[in-house]
Amino acid sequence: MNCRNFIRKLALPVLLVLFHVAAFAQTQVTGRVTDPNGAGLAGVTVTVKGQNVATSTNENGQYTLTVPANATTLVFSSVGFTSREEVLNGRSSINLNLAAAAGNLNEVVVVAYGTRRRGDLTSSVTQVTAKDFQKGFQPSAEQLLVGKVAGLQVTTGGGAAGTGSRIRIRGGSSLNGSNDPLVVIDGVPVLEGGVAGSQNILNTINPNDIESISVLKDASATALYGSRASNGVLIITTKKGTRGKVKFTFNTQASVQSLTKYAPVLSGDQVRDVIRRDMEATGDSTYFKKLGTANTNWQKEIYREAFGTDNTLGASGTIANVLPFRLSGGFTHQEGVLKNNSFERISTALNLSPKLLNDHLSVNLNAKFSNTKNNFSDQGAIGNAVFFDPTQPVLSGDAKFTRMGGYWEWTQPSDAAWAPIVGAFSPRALAPLNPVSLINTIDNKSTVNRFIGNLQLDYKLHFLPDLHLLANVGGDWSRGSGNNNRDSMSAAGLLGGGSRSNYKQGQNNFLTDFQLFYQKEFKSIRTKFDVMVGHTFQEFSTDVYNFPSFSYRPIADPRTPGSEIYNLRDTIANSKPRAEDVRYTDLYRLESYIGRVNFNINDKYLIQGVMRRDASSKLNPDGRVGYFPAVSVAWKLKQEFFKNVNFISDLKLRASWGETGNQANLNYYSYIKRYTQGNQSAMYQFGGQFVQVLRPEGYVEDLRWETTQTTNLGLDFGFLNNRIAGSVDVYKRKGFDMLASVPIAPGANFTNEATKNVAAMDMEGFEVALNTVPVRTKDFNWDLNVNFSYNKRKITQLLDYNDPNFTGLPRGGIGIATGNFVSQWIVGSNPSEFYVLKQVYDQNGKPLEGVYEDLNRDGQVNLDDRYYHKQADPKLNVGFSTSVSYKKFTVGMAAHGSLGNYVFNQYDAGAGILSQFKNPTQITSNGSPSYLETGFRNNSNFQFLSDYFIQNASFLRIDNINLGYDLGRVFRSKVGMRINASIQNVAVITNYKGLDPEIADDFGRAGTIYPRPRVYTLGVNLDF
């Protein structure tokens, strides 16, 4: 063999080996993908451009990809975000953020019993994902949505720790029934309200575990939930496991809450001045002599700066390369600004989502447990801090207050028989109690344990893969217990010897769903269709326990012959209250059949039909079945007329009609003639023995669902590659068979008022949502979103018989005098309209006390001259959010507000009079500074029903301003770190004179509320 041939034979295999080595030499690239706010993005697909090599990011946005040596570019893509390409250039670490693609048509949206592509929706549905949630310290799930969705109002009940919210979708659809939407958590519809001891059903869910919340608004979107869907539906979907290496996240926040505004009151010096001026005018020094010398700010005595912390540790990935999972644990502690008020939550969540049998069987297991503890303090102290005399001290060394804990109180001489027990002085009847004492002498706590879990199976038949068998079995189990104890050494507990009362309740919710789902595409006629039919059964039971109440000492009224006088003491051997067995169980069942069919013709014409049949045990067997149909269509105008117009990204016209129901406030046994066992405080004496009584309850045999018909027209649009996108919806709703509490003829029933299906109401409105990306570059992104909505309601029927003397149903009771209302329902009115007297003013614009217009011109002024004036419902709701990111920095802001809404300033109406400061119970009190403007002396002529107290409560609240910075990989590049800061409840822009224009009351009554604090939060997010 010559040298040339040898080299030729050797060179060829060597070159081949070198070529293969070069081709298959691989390097590993790692990094993290974030959204415009710097939060990690899960499920982002990372692909080697031009090759079949890819991976996806985990829950924290982290990825690891082994790439061939000949790879040049990586492509990052995710539903809801614009794709991005990065040239490798030998880099082994690439971190980047993806810009949001407003209105992305391929985004998967969670809907009733399934999911749909956003571009294929025929109904009014808005999905808010984790990247768009409200930022800052948010201990409860519904608060994530404030200002985010057109047509959705979320109004917190105040600033209490762990407090709940009033949630309204399109204003609600009921008069006497519930207006709260149905809440579905991971496929489990949950019971409205909450178990005893829980002030908020949604604060048992860790917001850090939530992936998205879908808001279903029109009937075609909600009809699959039938008799529970008239007020809309919130579908909460929690985070799932991801494929890949196990990764960890740790999110922690620390917050400080403080009040920036207090209820308007007078200072001690101002109260003394008011009483002195009256004394000089009248010559009566009775009240002046009762004044003290202090200047106590009672509100500052009961409020504090409060601390909060929220921590969640999560892990997600794949076990043994076959079992995707996510496991999290959370701890939240929130102090309320009211002293002793607190909320604490320990939570854990597990998700397993394997695919078995060659991906023919999809399994989704969800399990969530939470333990919440509440210390409610005594929120009665809030009102007392407003009204208690500021000229008096908090504590007093006077011996007469010893048995009241040393707190200064209004007192009166004790009856001679009581004196040996309570002392020479006892609390004055009807006088407000020292607010500091109320807080410090109460033990008002609860514990709630809740488990929500379900197993979802999706089996795709091997022999017919277009047919799926679906099953969902699960439930929601809650146990709540607590105590409300009052120390006997307090003014509130002195005469009763203190009090110890316990409570306990259990709620059980069991669900079984079975469905058949079939989908098919006929390419020859360019048509896709899918059909779903199913059966669902849900059973709700409530275990009610009976606890006797005890005092801390056995107190017998010494005025009763033969009674024994006991010494003061706070413990009695073997007298701890003990629970009886379960006293009774309330049971309610709902059995349903559901069906849905969808057609997509040529990707232009979309048609959906829905039907649900419900049978409820709440109703008479002869009328407990109801049918709830819906139909919706959509026309993709973009594909029809503008397919080649690049400027238009999306243009779709929608129309829908459907019927839904409401049964939330129906008693489980309202249609049955029944007797209820009385409690131990209502017993009947037979000789020396006391027995519990059975009392008859009112009933209505022909109760039916409330039914709402909704017609909806919508337009979805997108321009400039969806950098300008949004939707417009116009709707009209008609409610009939609505529940209203109406008078019953004497002797016709066991009650004088019953809830019957007698009312009807019309509702209409529109919604606009606009999402824009004004600037989008490699390093700089700016998102700007705004939404607004209008809703109008009008009562069209209130009675099921003609009554020429009927003047309306009084509603909106107020705590001023007795039996007074600020609203009255009548046909043609809005349910939230005020019914008041028309105030007369002098030439200087000052209201004249007790002088009103004679509107009916009968020559006398009385309550018959009231008229309908303004309304609590806002004419326009608005929401706004914006976010700017530059490289590793992000800053954002969110706000919401309303226009055209009014409130009845009940605080000014009841406390803005001289007789508030000179209390008829022979004490001095504090009150509203409005007295200094009006000079009103008393409410003897229904002054509190004057339209002077109906005040414009339009407002714009800046919910939060947030700032974030991504530090990248730290600790030897092993940990990704991001820091953030936020301010919540930044400012409220309003002309309203009271404490807060945003109130959670359907009748617009603004009294003394738990004030909303400003919250300062610092947070750190770690992933490793």
Side-chain angles (χ1 to χ4, degrees):
M1 181 182 296
N2 59 35
C3 182
R4 180 177 295 178
N5 288 335
F6 174 77
I7 293 174
R8 184 185 296 120
K9 291 180 179 180
L10 180 63
L12 183 59
V14 169
L15 288 173
L16 289 173
V17 171
L18 291 175
F19 174 78
H20 281 80
V21 169
F24 290 97
Q26 297 176 326
T27 59
Q28 193 174 72
V29 179
T30 62
R32 184 170 185 255
V33 184
T34 58
D35 66 14
N37 296 317
L41 277 178
V44 177
T45 301
V46 185
T47 309
V48 177
K49 188 174 183 179
Q51 299 189 35
N52 190 26
V53 179
T55 189
S56 60
T57 59
N58 65 11
E59 180 184 298
N60 313 314
Q62 295 172 308
Y63 70 92
T64 299
L65 179 65
T66 302
V67 301
N70 61 347
T72 59
T73 305
L74 296 184
V75 180
F76 298 81
S77 60
S78 179
V79 172
F81 296 86
T82 57
S83 298
R84 181 167 169 176
E85 296 186 1
E86 286 287 324
V87 179
L88 284 168
N89 284 336
R91 291 184 291 173
S92 61
S93 178
I94 299 178
N95 300 316
L96 74 160
N97 67 67
L98 295 183
N104 188 291
L105 302 182
N106 291 315
E107 180 182 355
V108 177
V109 177
V110 179
V111 296
Y113 294 93
T115 60
R116 309 297 293 180
R117 287 178 59 250
R118 179 179 296 278
D120 292 339
L121 288 174
T122 59
S123 307
S124 184
V125 178
T126 300
Q127 178 171 278
V128 183
T129 58
K131 67 183 179 65
D132 294 319
F133 287 158
Q134 280 279 7
K135 303 299 185 293
F137 189 83
Q138 307 288 355
S140 190
E142 81 282 356
Q143 296 166 15
L144 303 171
L145 298 177
V146 174
K148 295 295 183 179
V149 179
L152 173 69
Q153 282 183 278
V154 180
T155 308
T156 60
T163 189
S165 304
R166 186 188 69 161
I167 305 173
R168 296 289 181 266
I169 297 176
R170 294 184 169 179
S173 64
S174 185
L175 291 173
N176 264 77
S178 170
N179 278 306
D180 295 332
L182 174 68
V183 177
V184 180
I185 301 175
D186 285 333
V188 179
V190 300
L191 190 65
E192 66 275 2
V195 72
S198 175
Q199 58 182 327
N200 176 12
I201 189 175
L202 290 177
N203 71 15
T204 58
I205 305 296
N206 186 345
N208 292 300
D209 289 330
I210 296 176
E211 179 67 32
S212 68
I213 303 177
S214 291
V215 182
L216 281 54
K217 295 184 280 190
D218 70 348
S220 65
T222 64
L224 276 180
Y225 292 108
S227 61
R228 297 175 288 179
S230 281
N231 295 307
V233 180
L234 296 181
I235 301 180
I236 298 176
T237 303
T238 58
K239 296 175 180 177
K240 303 295 186 287
T242 57
R243 293 192 173 274
K245 183 179 177 182
V246 176
K247 301 291 183 179
F248 297 89
T249 60
F250 178 64
N251 303 323
T252 183
Q253 290 181 324
S255 69
V256 175
Q257 304 177 54
S258 61
L259 294 181
T260 59
K261 188 177 182 181
Y262 298 86
V265 294
L266 300 188
S267 67
D269 288 338
Q270 287 177 306
V271 169
R272 277 186 285 265
D273 186 61
V274 167
I275 302 299
R276 179 184 58 80
R277 289 175 181 271
D278 180 74
M279 177 187 67
E280 293 172 350
T282 63
D284 184 358
S285 62
T286 302
Y287 287 93
F288 188 79
K289 294 177 180 179
K290 296 178 182 293
L291 295 171
T293 59
N295 265 299
T296 304
N297 187 324
W298 290 103
Q299 293 185 81
K300 290 188 176 181
E301 292 292 335
I302 67 168
Y303 294 125
R304 62 181 175 182
E305 285 194 343
F307 173 76
T309 181
D310 184 46
N311 310 273
T312 301
L313 176 65
S316 65
T318 304
I319 300 174
N321 205 32
V322 295
L323 183 59
F325 82 99
R326 180 183 184 273
L327 177 65
S328 72
F331 173 73
T332 300
H333 176 79
Q334 180 188 18
E335 294 177 345
V337 289
L338 180 68
K339 290 179 179 179
N340 293 342
N341 176 219
S342 64
F343 166 75
E344 189 172 285
R345 176 181 61 225
I346 298 174
S347 64
T348 184
L350 173 68
N351 172 262
L352 303 176
S353 51
K355 291 190 175 182
L356 310 173
L357 304 178
N358 294 324
D359 290 347
H360 278 258
L361 178 62
S362 297
V363 179
N364 188 33
L365 174 69
N366 298 290
K368 291 171 285 293
F369 173 79
S370 65
N371 169 269
T372 60
K373 296 182 183 297
N374 298 278
N375 187 336
F376 299 106
S377 189
D378 189 335
Q379 296 189 23
I382 295 173
N384 282 26
V386 171
F387 300 126
F388 207 81
D389 185 352
T391 70
Q392 308 298 345
V394 176
L395 298 170
S396 174
D398 193 318
K400 70 178 181 179
F401 299 116
T402 300
R403 300 190 186 194
M404 303 178 202
Y407 296 97
W408 195 96
E409 301 281 3
W410 290 105
T411 61
Q412 64 187 18
S414 299
D415 290 348
W418 276 106
I421 301 175
V422 301
F425 292 89
S426 56
R428 178 177 288 273
L430 303 180
L433 300 176
N434 187 312
V436 179
S437 172
L438 289 177
I439 289 177
N440 291 339
T441 61
I442 197 171
D443 179 22
N444 186 5
K445 298 175 181 176
S446 74
T447 299
V448 175
N449 292 310
R450 186 182 191 190
F451 176 82
I452 305 176
N454 64 318
L455 176 65
Q456 297 171 308
L457 302 176
D458 180 348
Y459 176 54
K460 180 172 59 176
L461 271 64
H462 283 74
F463 59 89
L464 186 59
D466 292 330
L467 180 62
H468 294 243
L469 304 181
L470 309 175
N472 179 22
V473 179
D476 178 8
W477 294 270
S478 300
R479 295 292 180 271
S481 61
N483 61 267
N484 188 0
N485 301 340
R486 175 70 69 180
D487 197 316
S488 65
M489 297 291 284
S490 66
L494 183 62
L495 293 179
S499 63
R500 287 182 294 172
S501 60
N502 289 33
Y503 56 87
K504 183 178 179 181
Q505 190 182 69
Q507 289 186 350
N508 313 288
N509 168 8
F510 178 70
L511 168 74
T512 58
D513 286 341
F514 297 100
Q515 293 124 37
L516 291 175
F517 177 76
Y518 181 77
Q519 59 183 351
K520 188 69 176 179
E521 180 178 2
F522 299 98
K523 295 183 179 180
S524 60
I525 58 174
R526 298 180 179 178
T527 298
K528 303 175 184 177
F529 90 96
D530 62 74
V531 61
M532 182 269 290
V533 294
H535 173 271
T536 176
F537 175 82
Q538 215 166 350
E539 180 179 272
F540 304 91
S541 63
T542 301
D543 299 327
V544 180
Y545 294 76
N546 180 39
F547 284 78
S549 296
F550 287 75
S551 63
Y552 273 108
R553 65 178 188 275
I555 265 285
D557 189 337
R559 292 168 295 187
T560 302
S563 65
E564 183 179 358
I565 297 177
Y566 294 84
N567 294 323
L568 288 170
R569 60 182 186 269
D570 281 348
T571 57
I572 304 167
N574 303 317
S575 69
K576 182 178 179 180
R578 299 177 59 188
E580 294 182 359
D581 293 333
V582 176
R583 185 179 171 201
Y584 58 86
T585 296
D586 283 331
L587 190 64
Y588 150 54
R589 295 187 176 101
L590 184 68
E591 184 181 29
S592 311
Y593 294 90
I594 57 176
R596 177 179 60 202
V597 60
N598 284 286
F599 289 92
N600 183 332
I601 303 171
N602 201 23
D603 201 30
K604 295 180 182 179
Y605 316 109
L606 307 172
I607 305 172
Q608 176 179 271
V610 169
M611 174 65 79
R612 177 166 177 134
R613 174 195 182 273
D614 273 341
S616 170
S617 66
K618 289 184 178 182
L619 304 177
N620 192 304
D622 294 333
R624 64 176 40 163
V625 174
Y627 294 87
F628 302 94
V631 62
S632 57
V633 296
W635 185 9
K636 293 187 176 181
L637 302 178
K638 160 69 176 176
Q639 280 74 5
E640 186 76 65
F641 302 111
F642 309 104
K643 192 170 185 179
N644 298 318
V645 181
N646 294 330
F647 172 78
I648 300 176
S649 312
D650 178 33
L651 197 61
K652 181 177 66 176
L653 186 64
R654 293 179 280 105
S656 68
W657 173 91
E659 286 189 355
T660 52
N662 184 20
Q663 57 163 314
N665 268 17
L666 283 176
N667 185 282
Y668 287 3
Y669 313 110
S670 294
Y671 71 93
I672 300 175
K673 300 175 183 177
R674 66 198 187 280
Y675 289 81
T676 300
Q677 186 178 31
N679 58 39
Q680 292 189 345
S681 63
M683 304 179 76
Y684 194 84
Q685 184 176 5
F686 288 94
Q689 184 177 7
F690 288 84
V691 298
Q692 289 179 278
V693 300
L694 294 174
R695 65 175 185 270
E697 299 287 353
Y699 65 96
V700 178
E701 289 183 314
D702 60 344
L703 277 177
R704 303 179 298 281
W705 329 93
E706 289 188 335
T707 303
T708 303
Q709 289 183 353
T710 302
T711 302
N712 193 100
L713 294 176
L715 179 69
D716 300 329
F717 58 86
F719 305 102
L720 298 175
N721 195 26
N722 281 326
R723 289 182 59 178
I724 301 175
S727 63
V728 178
D729 281 89
V730 180
Y731 61 87
K732 187 175 182 63
R733 301 198 292 171
K734 298 181 73 68
F736 54 93
D737 284 342
M738 301 182 71
L739 296 171
S741 294
V742 294
I744 298 294
N749 208 307
F750 292 113
T751 179
N752 59 356
E753 190 174 89
T755 300
K756 303 175 65 177
N757 299 94
V758 298
M761 182 168 61
D762 287 349
M763 299 147 278
E764 59 184 34
F766 67 83
E767 301 162 352
V768 177
L770 182 64
N771 306 309
T772 67
V773 185
V775 180
R776 178 189 293 161
T777 67
K778 180 179 179 181
D779 293 324
F780 184 85
N781 288 282
W782 177 23
D783 296 333
L784 178 63
N785 307 309
V786 64
N787 66 76
F788 55 90
S789 60
Y790 163 85
N791 185 69
K792 179 182 178 182
R793 300 188 293 163
K794 183 176 71 172
I795 298 172
T796 58
Q797 181 179 324
L798 272 178
L799 297 178
D800 56 355
Y801 60 92
N802 292 323
D803 182 357
N805 299 316
F806 179 67
T807 58
L809 297 176
R811 290 294 181 266
I814 56 177
I816 304 174
T818 302
N820 290 292
F821 301 84
V822 75
S823 181
Q824 183 159 296
W825 290 345
I826 196 68
V827 171
S829 70
N830 181 295
S832 71
E833 276 188 274
F834 301 104
Y835 191 54
V836 289
L837 295 163
K838 190 172 181 61
Q839 181 68 52
V840 175
Y841 299 83
D842 66 14
Q843 64 272 20
N844 298 317
K846 183 178 179 179
L848 298 174
E849 182 173 0
V851 182
Y852 319 106
E853 288 195 24
D854 180 13
L855 294 181
N856 63 6
R857 300 297 186 260
D858 64 353
Q860 56 183 342
V861 177
N862 52 34
L863 291 181
D864 292 337
D865 291 296
R866 286 176 294 174
Y867 76 115
Y868 289 93
H869 176 65
K870 305 299 182 182
Q871 62 186 44
D873 286 355
K875 293 185 176 179
L876 198 68
N877 288 301
V878 297
F880 167 85
S881 64
T882 186
S883 175
V884 175
S885 64
Y886 176 70
K887 293 187 176 180
K888 296 184 176 183
F889 286 95
T890 60
V891 62
M893 184 183 76
H896 78 282
S898 63
L899 298 173
N901 54 299
Y902 285 73
V903 301
F904 169 61
N905 194 329
Q906 183 170 324
Y907 171 57
D908 278 3
I913 53 178
L914 179 61
S915 60
Q916 169 64 29
F917 301 95
K918 296 173 53 181
N919 196 291
T921 60
Q922 298 297 304
I923 65 171
T924 51
S925 300
N926 207 339
S928 170
S930 68
Y931 165 73
L932 303 179
E933 301 174 6
T934 66
F936 291 159
R937 298 188 64 83
N938 56 56
N939 274 321
S940 60
N941 196 27
F942 298 103
Q943 184 63 56
F944 51 85
L945 289 178
S946 165
D947 62 4
Y948 176 79
F949 299 109
I950 308 302
Q951 299 174 0
N952 192 328
S954 301
F955 72 93
L956 178 67
R957 185 185 301 274
I958 302 176
D959 293 303
N960 72 66
I961 297 175
N962 55 84
L963 176 68
Y965 180 72
D966 191 343
L967 280 74
R969 308 300 292 180
V970 297
F971 304 123
R972 298 182 180 180
S973 298
K974 293 182 178 180
V975 179
M977 177 181 287
R978 175 178 171 77
I979 57 175
N980 55 77
S982 68
I983 304 176
Q984 294 166 246
N985 194 21
V986 180
V988 180
I989 303 170
T990 183
N991 289 325
Y992 177 60
K993 297 179 180 179
L995 174 62
D996 196 323
E998 188 175 15
I999 58 174
D1001 182 76
D1002 288 337
F1003 295 103
R1005 296 162 296 187
T1008 55
I1009 67 168
Y1010 196 130
R1012 297 179 176 94
R1014 181 170 296 163
V1015 185
Y1016 304 88
T1017 304
L1018 290 175
V1020 178
N1021 303 326
L1022 304 176
D1023 52 76
F1024 47 95

